[in-house]
């Protein structure tokens, strides 16, 4: 590999209170010896809706431990690896890195052994960068939080997902279908065909279908709701889950919007934030390479066009993930 430069490009947020970015140069990070830290050359990273508000809303326990560099979904190449790592320099990997550390919107970044997996070879760098957060959030929502069987033995189970055309929702549809469940997707009318193509047996247009009325029809109630939208969509989803069912949100605590008419329901519910897990991500790699699941990329942007990319991600209308390709002009 060529020698490392002393500095490299990076996005930097000036303040936790300011949801804006500048493109600058920063020193290339150095892995801490005797840890599981790897230095990676970043090829592409994906953006999360609203992530520039995280430093204000979710301040890190130790602010001195990180720079305000966003972007926690990446695909890249290992440059330096600890001796104990299964990954070696030159390996092509991807990850969702922990928010407690500096992010990956830069040419070089740090990732831990326990976060990393070998990237799917059946897709490119951009598509690989779109996988980790969305797929692991969906996996953990369905198979950890909701307790469904990830071995494909979910026949007879009904799963409803709000925001079914978004980054996480699209993976919930695919993984739910793959597990054998009957999946109902909630999205805009313009995304109906896409969500059906991902495996949803029924697709509801949130603008024209009231979930309370829909759930009142015979046979419509579901065993599990995975909410990827929050607010009004989550409030409406309460009506669709049966007594004894499960309601999981990746956006906000469901109890905050439980309707008065659902107060008597016995529904296990929670809000959770996914935890990076390289072993889970490796299983997802296998599914992608087997052609059983696929990442959904909304749009791809040059590093220099980061402002437009973040505007697209924060606009709420993206179909899948917004990705910045650091290698586009190289």
């Amino acid at each position: 590999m060529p020698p490392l430069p002393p500095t490299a490009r990076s996005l930097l947020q000036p303040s936790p209170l300011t949801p804006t970015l500048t493109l600058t140069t920063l020193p290339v990070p150095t892995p801490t010896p005797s840890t599981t830290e790897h230095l990676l050359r970043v090829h592409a990273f994906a953006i999360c809706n609203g992530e520039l508000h995280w430093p204000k809303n979710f301040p890190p326990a130790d602010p001195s431990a990180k720079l305000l560099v966003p972007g926690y979904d990446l695909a890249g190449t290992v440059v330096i690896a600890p001796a104990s790592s299964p990954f070696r320099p030159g390996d092509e990997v991807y990850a969702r890195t922990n928010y407690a550390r500096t992010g990956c919107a830069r040419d070089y970044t740090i990732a831990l052994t326990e976060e990393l997996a070998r990237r799917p070879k059946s897709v490119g760098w951009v598509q690989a960068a779109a996988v980790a957060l969305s797929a692991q959030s969906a996996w953990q929502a369905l198979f950890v939080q909701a307790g469904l069987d990830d071995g494909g033995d979910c026949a007879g189970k009904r799963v409803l997902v709000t925001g079914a055309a978004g980054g996480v929702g699209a993976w919930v549809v695919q993984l739910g279908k793959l597990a054998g469940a009957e999946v109902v997707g909630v999205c805009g009318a313009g995304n109906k065909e896409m969500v059906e193509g991902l495996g949803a047996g029924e697709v509801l247009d949130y603008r024209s279908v009231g979930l309370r009325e829909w759930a009142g029809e015979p046979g419509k109630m579901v065993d599990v709701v995975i909410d990827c939208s929050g607010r009004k969509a989550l409030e409406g989803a309460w009506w669709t889950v049966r007594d004894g069912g499960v309601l999981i949100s990746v956006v906000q605590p469901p109890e905050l919007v439980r309707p008065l008419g659902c107060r008597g329901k016995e529904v296990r519910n929670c809000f959770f934030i996914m935890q990076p897990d390289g072993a889970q991500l490796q299983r997802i790699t296998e599914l992608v390479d087997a052609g059983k699941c696929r990442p959904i990329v909304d749009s791809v942007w040059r590093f220099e066009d980061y402002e437009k990319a973040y505007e697209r991600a924060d606009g709420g209308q993206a179909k899948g993930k917004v990705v910045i390709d650091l290698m586009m002009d190289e």
Side-chain angles (χ1 to χ4, degrees):
M1 287 190 178
L4 290 172
T7 62
R9 299 175 300 172
S10 176
L11 294 181
L12 187 65
Q13 191 169 346
S15 160
L17 304 179
T18 307
T20 58
L21 294 168
T22 59
L23 179 57
T24 185
T25 56
L26 293 173
V28 171
T30 302
T32 303
S34 302
T35 70
T36 63
E37 291 185 355
H38 299 64
L39 180 66
L40 306 183
R41 177 68 164 96
V42 180
H43 293 269
F45 70 90
I47 300 170
C48 284
N49 184 345
E51 73 177 54
L52 299 185
H53 296 280
W54 294 353
K56 176 185 175 182
N57 297 332
F58 308 102
D62 182 6
S64 66
K66 64 178 289 181
L67 300 172
L68 291 182
V69 175
Y72 300 91
D73 270 319
L74 84 144
T77 302
V78 176
V79 178
I80 299 173
S84 61
S85 173
F87 305 102
R88 307 317 308 156
D91 285 353
E92 299 181 357
V93 296
Y94 68 155
R96 166 68 176 186
T97 61
N98 196 305
Y99 169 68
R101 304 195 315 279
T102 303
C104 305
R106 48 184 177 165
D107 284 317
Y108 293 88
T109 198
I110 298 292
L112 308 184
T113 303
E114 53 268 32
E115 296 167 340
L116 289 166
R118 302 184 191 280
R119 79 170 182 92
K121 290 300 184 70
S122 59
V123 299
W125 290 108
V126 164
Q127 290 75 22
V131 172
L133 169 68
S134 297
Q136 287 184 94
S137 294
W139 184 283
Q140 292 173 22
L142 287 166
F143 306 131
V144 178
Q145 301 296 331
L148 294 179
D149 180 6
D150 64 18
D153 192 23
C154 292
K157 295 289 187 181
R158 284 174 54 81
V159 176
L160 181 139
V161 53
T162 66
V168 178
W171 277 96
V172 173
V173 173
Q174 293 182 88
L175 293 175
K177 173 67 172 179
L178 195 60
E182 181 180 345
V183 180
V184 179
V186 181
C187 61
N191 296 324
K192 181 176 185 292
E193 184 175 341
M194 183 190 89
V195 173
E196 286 177 336
L198 294 175
E202 183 174 2
V203 179
L204 308 178
D205 175 9
Y206 71 88
R207 293 185 180 91
S208 62
V209 177
L211 290 181
R212 181 177 184 177
E213 292 72 26
W214 175 84
E217 299 175 14
K220 295 297 190 182
M221 298 286 280
V222 301
D223 303 285
V224 174
V225 169
I226 307 297
D227 167 62
C228 305
S229 297
R231 298 185 291 267
K232 285 292 185 181
L234 175 55
E235 181 181 350
W238 270 100
W239 297 101
T240 71
V241 63
R242 65 170 177 80
D243 271 319
V246 182
L247 195 164
I248 306 296
S249 179
V250 299
V251 180
Q252 67 181 112
E255 287 290 351
L256 294 179
V257 293
R258 185 198 280 245
L260 287 175
C262 295
R263 295 296 183 192
K265 272 191 174 183
E266 293 293 333
V267 173
R268 180 169 64 82
N269 68 92
C270 75
F271 159 71
F272 85 102
I273 298 173
M274 66 79 64
Q275 297 300 311
D277 186 318
Q280 287 177 355
L281 191 55
Q282 192 61 48
R283 294 186 66 180
I284 292 162
T285 296
E286 294 165 4
L287 293 176
V288 174
D289 278 341
K292 296 181 178 180
C293 293
R294 59 186 175 92
I296 308 297
V297 175
D298 172 83
S299 53
V300 186
W301 304 82
R302 291 180 173 85
F303 209 2
E304 293 74 15
D305 294 327
Y306 66 91
E307 291 178 317
K308 295 178 182 178
Y310 274 86
E311 287 174 6
R312 175 63 182 171
D314 289 342
Q317 299 301 313
K319 300 178 183 179
K321 297 294 286 188
V322 175
V323 179
I324 292 183
D325 183 354
L326 276 65
M327 316 299 285
M328 187 175 283
D329 295 321
E330 295 189 8

